[in-house]
Amino acid sequence: MLMKTVIKLSIKTLTALCCCISFQQCFAAEDMQHDEYDFLTEQDLLSDIPMVTSVTGLKQSTAETPASITVIDRQMIRTSGAVELADVFRLVPGIQVYHVNGNRFGVSMHGQTNEFPQRLEVRIDGRSVYLPMLSTIVWTSLGLDLDSIERIEVVRGSNVPAQGANAFLGSINIVTRHPLQDHGTRASYQTGSEDAHNFSLQHNTSVGGADFRLNASHQENNGFENLKDGLDGDHISLRGSFSPDIANEFDIQLGYSHSIIGIGDGDDPAGFSEAKFESSYQYIDWKHTFTNGNKLGVHFYHNQTRMDDRTSLGLLSAQLAGLNPADFGAPPGFVVTPAAIGQVEQELIIGTTDNRTDRFEFGIDHSSHPSHNTRLFWGSTLRYDRLKSDWLLDGRSPVNNQQIRLFGNLEWHLSSNLVMNAGLMVEHDDLVNTNVSSRLALNYHLQAGQTLRFSATRAHRSPSLLEAERSEILRFVDGSSADIQFITNPNLAEEDLDALELGYVGMWPELGLETDIKLFHEIVNNGIDKAKTRALPGDLVPPALINDNISNWRTHGMETQINYRPDSVTRITTNYSYAVAKGQRVRASNDISTLKTRVPRHTFSLLASRMFSTGVEGSIAHYRMSPVKFLGGAELPWQSRTDLRVGFPLSDARVDGEVSMVVQNVFAEDYLEYQNSNLFERRLFVQLKLNLR
C-alpha cells in the first residue's frame, strides 16, 4: 500500500514539475539575457561574503536570508580545538551544548530541553540524521570526521517552512568536503585525557571519471572520572561523485558505524550500563542544471539504527525491599516480598536487545527564475519512519509513520534595496494529519553592507514516532504489569510556535569586520513533556510518566556575533546571547513548575587565532554561561572554560602535516555539565596529522 502511494505521488509530482519547467522555459530565455545585471545586488559588490543555502534552499548571502545564520568554516573548527563535533556549536549564539554523559551530548537552541533535545534539525549533506527511536541526535554515532567537514550552516531560528517539523527552533546543516577537494591519503592520531585514543584515515582517488573519498576512524575514551560512561566506536564511510557532463552530477554516500557508549544518570553512578549503537545509511543525490539556469534535484536515502540497551535492575526481592508499603495499600511495617504480591523470585529487566528504527526518504526539488527579479525553490518529499522495540513499545508490533511534504520559498527583489522571502511548508503524516507552517521576511539594504531584517514565522512540530507511540511497562515473568514507567497520551498533539525576529547585518570589508545582531521573541504552546499520574491500573509503583502537551513558554532576547579579520593571518570571533524565558509545565495538579530557569540568561564565546611567520598557529577559545537548570538535570551555577591550541607544521619531500596540542579548561576552573557527577576538569590532547603526497 505504501509503495503504491509513493509511486502515485511521485508520478503526480514529476508531472507537475515537468509542466512547471516547460512553462518557465517558455519565458525564461528572454530573462536569461538580463539575469547577469538584474541580480547584481550588494553581495556582488562586497568581497568575501558568505553564501548559504540552508535557510531557503536558494543560494543567498547572509544579508538576504529570512533568518539569522551562523557559518562555521574549516578554520574555526580547527582552531577551536574541538575534539567532539558537538563542542563546535559552543561558537553559535543561542545554542547550548552539554555532556549528558561522558559521550552523550545535548545540543539545543534556547534551552527548554532535557537529555534528548528534540527541536533542532541536523542534516549532513542534505540527509537528516534525526533519530526517530530517541527523538534526538546521537552525535557519537554519526561517524563524521571533523577534517571531512567543509563548513557548517546553523540557522538560528525556526526553519520549519524550509526543512520541516524537526527544525522547530533551528537547524544545523553540515556540508562535507567534495572528494575533488582533497588528494592522496591523510592519517590522524590523537591521544590524551580520559585515556582517549582517536584514529582516522582518509583516502581520495579518482576512478573512471568518478571521484571517491574513503574514511575510516576509531574512537575510544573512559568518559568522566568515576563514571562508567566511556566510548568505543568504529566508523567507515564512502562518498563518490560523478559528473557525466556539465549538466548532471551524481553524489553517492554510504556509511556504517558501531559504538558502545556508557549511559546512565550522573546522580546514580552505580546505575550505568552499556548501550550499543549500530548505524548505517545509503544516500544518492542527482542534480541537473538546465540550459536556462534552472536546477532540478532528486534524492533518496535510508537511515537505519539498531540499539541494545538491555539493563538488569537486579532481583525482585531487592527492589521490593526499598519500597514504601503504602504504595501497595499495605499498613506501615508490612514486609513486601515477591510472595506477598503473588510473584516468584525473578530478575527484573528493562530495555531489550532488539531496538531498530528505519527512515526512508525520497525527495524532489526545483529552483528557477520565474521573472527577472524573483527566484523560486520548491519541492516535495515522501518519508517513511519505522520503529521496532519490545521495550519502547511494550511488545507491540512495529509502528510506522508516513509523511508527505510540499514546500516552497519565493525570493522577490521588490526594489534594489528591498527583498522579500515568503516560505511555506505543508506536512501531512499519520500522527497529527496536516500542518501548515509559514514565514514572511523583509530585508532592507540601508546601504552597501548594511541590512535590516524583519521576519515572522508560524510553525508546528509533529510528535516524533517515539513520542507518539512510547509505552514502557516493566512486566513480571508471567506477563503481568509490575511498573508502568512511560506511556503516551493517545490525543498527543503538535507543538505550536509563533516567532518574530528583527535583525541587523553589517559588513565592512575594508576593515575585515562583520556583525550580526538579532532581537527575537518566541511563543511556544502545547510543548510535549512528561506529565505524571498515580491513577493507572496495574502500576504497582506510581507515579507513571505520560507524554503530553503540558508546557507553554515565551522567550525573548538578543543574539549577536562579530567576526573580525584585520589581516589574512588573524581572526577573532565573538558571540553573545541574552535570553529571558517565562512559562510553566503542568506535570500534575500539585506539580506545576516554572520554566524561566530552563534557559541560561547569558552565554558568551570568543575564538581568536593567528598564524605566525614560522607557520605555527595559535588560538584561544573562551566560553561562559550563566546559571541554568535543564529539564532532568542539576542546578548549574556560572561556568567558564578556556581552551588553548597550538599547531606546529610538518613538511618534507614526501609528507606534510601538523602536530598540535589542545588544552581544554586550561585554568582548571572545574565545572558541572548537566548532572552533578559530570565534572569537567582540565584536559590535554596531542594530535598528529600526516598528508601523504
Side-chain angles (χ1 to χ4, degrees):
M1 182 65 184
L2 172 64
M3 290 307 299
K4 290 182 180 179
T5 303
V6 169
I7 292 172
K8 289 180 180 179
L9 287 169
S10 300
I11 292 174
K12 291 180 179 179
T13 303
L14 283 170
T15 301
L17 182 58
C18 292
C19 291
C20 180
I21 293 172
S22 299
F23 174 74
Q24 290 170 349
Q25 287 176 336
C26 290
F27 58 78
E30 180 179 353
D31 288 338
M32 284 178 58
Q33 59 184 323
H34 302 296
D35 282 350
E36 179 181 356
Y37 304 101
D38 292 338
F39 284 92
L40 189 66
T41 57
E42 70 169 81
Q43 66 262 33
D44 301 301
L45 304 176
L46 299 173
S47 61
D48 199 28
I49 295 179
M51 303 294 288
V52 297
T53 59
S54 299
V55 187
T56 64
L58 296 168
K59 190 174 183 179
Q60 298 174 304
S61 75
T62 54
E64 295 198 340
T65 58
S68 297
I69 188 166
T70 294
V71 179
I72 303 174
D73 58 26
R74 286 174 60 78
Q75 181 188 5
M76 291 180 66
I77 296 173
R78 183 182 68 254
T79 58
S80 71
V83 176
E84 300 289 348
L85 174 60
D87 261 343
V88 173
F89 305 115
R90 298 180 189 271
L91 297 171
V92 180
I95 278 189
Q96 291 80 46
V97 180
Y98 47 91
H99 285 77
V100 176
N101 297 136
N103 291 281
R104 287 175 59 213
F105 298 90
V107 179
S108 69
M109 181 73 72
H110 298 163
Q112 305 299 349
T113 188
N114 52 29
E115 60 181 305
F116 299 108
Q118 71 272 52
R119 300 181 180 95
L120 194 64
E121 168 76 332
V122 178
R123 296 186 179 188
I124 302 176
D125 295 326
R127 176 180 61 90
S128 175
V129 293
Y130 187 89
L131 188 60
M133 182 188 296
L134 297 175
S135 305
T136 192
I137 308 298
V138 181
W139 294 95
T140 49
S141 70
L142 297 182
L144 192 61
D145 184 2
L146 291 180
D147 282 338
S148 297
I149 299 175
E150 177 63 19
R151 70 182 185 279
I152 302 174
E153 300 176 2
V154 182
V155 182
R156 304 190 337 262
S158 180
N159 207 30
V160 174
Q163 295 183 320
N166 292 348
F168 191 64
L169 293 181
S171 68
I172 295 173
N173 302 278
I174 302 170
V175 181
T176 64
R177 289 174 66 78
H178 192 281
L180 266 176
Q181 292 178 273
D182 296 304
H183 304 280
T185 302
R186 177 191 57 77
S188 172
Y189 174 70
Q190 183 181 69
T191 185
S193 299
E194 283 65 58
D195 201 20
H197 299 279
N198 303 321
F199 174 79
S200 67
L201 182 68
Q202 178 186 116
H203 180 68
N204 299 271
T205 188
S206 296
V207 179
D211 301 290
F212 295 93
R213 181 181 67 239
L214 177 66
N215 280 93
S217 63
H218 172 78
Q219 291 178 286
E220 63 177 81
N221 64 65
N222 293 334
F224 284 113
E225 189 176 356
N226 301 321
L227 296 177
K228 296 180 179 180
D229 57 355
L231 165 69
D232 188 346
D234 296 289
H235 318 279
I236 187 169
S237 63
L238 175 68
R239 179 178 179 182
S241 180
F242 175 63
S243 298
D245 52 55
I246 196 172
N248 295 281
E249 181 179 7
F250 294 88
D251 191 9
I252 299 175
Q253 300 187 33
L254 307 171
Y256 173 81
S257 172
H258 181 273
S259 302
I260 301 176
I261 306 172
I263 63 174
D265 185 343
D267 294 332
D268 180 22
F272 275 72
S273 62
E274 289 187 344
K276 299 178 181 179
F277 291 90
E278 185 176 304
S279 303
S280 62
Y281 63 87
Q282 306 85 41
Y283 174 63
I284 183 169
D285 178 71
W286 168 51
K287 288 183 172 59
H288 176 77
T289 302
F290 296 95
T291 55
N292 62 358
N294 293 351
K295 295 182 179 180
L296 171 68
V298 179
H299 73 263
F300 172 81
Y301 69 79
H302 167 230
N303 298 337
Q304 182 184 102
T305 299
R306 295 176 179 268
M307 183 177 70
D308 173 2
D309 66 341
R310 186 177 186 272
T311 302
S312 172
L313 298 179
L315 294 177
L316 174 59
S317 57
Q319 296 296 313
L320 294 177
L323 297 180
N324 183 357
D327 289 335
F328 298 87
F334 183 82
V335 178
V336 183
T337 64
I341 59 173
Q343 293 292 327
V344 298
E345 181 69 290
Q346 57 193 271
E347 184 183 15
L348 298 179
I349 301 293
I350 61 173
T352 67
T353 59
D354 190 21
N355 303 287
R356 170 176 167 172
T357 183
D358 291 272
R359 168 168 287 182
F360 299 86
E361 181 176 291
F362 172 77
I364 302 174
D365 58 71
H366 182 250
S367 60
S368 63
H369 295 171
S371 68
H372 74 280
N373 60 349
T374 61
R375 291 193 298 166
L376 176 66
F377 181 83
W378 67 280
S380 176
T381 62
L382 308 176
R383 177 179 289 179
Y384 175 76
D385 288 339
R386 184 176 187 268
L387 172 61
K388 177 181 182 297
S389 172
D390 287 341
W391 169 246
L392 296 174
L393 303 176
D394 190 31
R396 289 181 292 158
S397 300
V399 296
N400 59 73
N401 181 36
Q402 301 177 51
Q403 183 183 75
I404 302 173
R405 291 176 176 170
L406 295 172
F407 57 87
N409 190 90
L410 176 67
E411 179 194 79
W412 184 5
H413 288 252
L414 299 169
S415 69
S416 60
N417 294 329
L418 186 61
V419 182
M420 182 191 77
N421 279 275
L424 186 70
M425 171 72 72
V426 180
E427 296 180 289
H428 177 85
D429 62 34
D430 296 338
L431 301 178
V432 294
N433 294 319
T434 303
N435 282 321
V436 179
S437 299
S438 58
R439 175 174 58 202
L440 181 65
L442 292 173
N443 293 50
Y444 182 70
H445 303 309
L446 302 171
Q447 59 185 34
Q450 314 296 311
T451 302
L452 287 177
R453 175 199 300 117
F454 175 77
S455 176
T457 303
R458 170 161 290 183
H460 308 279
R461 187 183 80 87
S462 299
S464 70
L465 191 54
L466 176 64
E467 287 174 323
E469 301 288 351
R470 189 172 181 179
S471 180
E472 298 176 12
I473 301 178
L474 178 63
R475 295 187 179 277
F476 295 122
V477 291
D478 63 4
S480 60
S481 172
D483 182 25
I484 301 177
Q485 296 194 347
F486 214 116
I487 59 174
T488 296
N489 181 347
N491 297 316
L492 189 67
E494 70 274 12
E495 297 180 335
D496 304 312
L497 168 73
D498 289 295
L500 296 175
E501 175 184 326
L502 177 63
Y504 167 77
V505 178
M507 300 180 183
W508 297 269
E510 68 280 3
L511 300 177
L513 183 64
E514 302 172 4
T515 184
D516 180 310
I517 301 174
K518 165 187 171 181
L519 303 177
F520 67 92
H521 185 75
E522 297 173 341
I523 302 175
V524 177
N525 291 315
N526 299 319
I528 298 173
D529 207 335
K530 304 177 184 68
K532 294 180 180 179
T533 182
R534 293 181 174 272
L536 292 178
D539 186 23
L540 298 182
V541 189
L545 300 179
I546 302 178
N547 258 344
D548 208 347
N549 302 98
I550 63 169
S551 297
N552 301 278
W553 70 87
R554 300 184 176 203
T555 309
H556 69 270
M558 177 192 74
E559 296 171 4
T560 179
Q561 59 182 22
I562 301 174
N563 293 312
Y564 179 48
R565 302 183 190 181
D567 51 52
S568 61
V569 295
T570 306
R571 182 171 182 176
I572 301 173
T573 299
T574 63
N575 303 283
Y576 171 72
S577 173
Y578 173 81
V580 178
K582 295 181 180 180
Q584 63 179 21
R585 63 171 180 165
V586 184
R587 305 193 72 188
S589 59
N590 61 346
D591 187 354
I592 301 176
S593 58
T594 179
L595 296 177
K596 68 179 182 180
T597 61
R598 310 299 184 175
V599 55
R601 181 157 296 191
H602 306 278
T603 57
F604 172 81
S605 69
L606 165 71
L607 175 63
S609 64
R610 182 172 177 81
M611 179 74 73
F612 298 95
S613 58
T614 59
V616 175
E617 185 178 52
S619 60
I620 180 171
H622 179 73
Y623 312 101
R624 186 161 172 79
M625 186 171 72
S626 62
V628 65
K629 187 183 187 307
F630 295 118
L631 298 171
E635 292 188 12
L636 306 179
W638 276 94
Q639 56 181 244
S640 296
R641 168 176 149 189
T642 302
D643 300 347
L644 294 177
R645 179 186 183 275
V646 181
F648 302 89
L650 299 174
S651 182
D652 63 25
R654 299 186 59 184
V655 300
D656 64 69
E658 180 189 57
V659 174
S660 62
M661 180 179 69
V662 174
V663 184
Q664 296 180 336
N665 198 16
V666 64
F667 298 118
E669 297 181 8
D670 300 348
Y671 67 93
L672 297 176
E673 291 208 357
Y674 192 70
Q675 295 282 14
N676 286 318
S677 296
N678 294 350
L679 183 64
F680 197 99
E681 302 172 297
R682 180 188 292 148
R683 298 182 177 186
L684 170 66
F685 300 94
V686 177
Q687 184 175 46
L688 171 64
K689 294 182 182 179
L690 293 176
N691 301 309
L692 307 180
R693 295 172 178 170

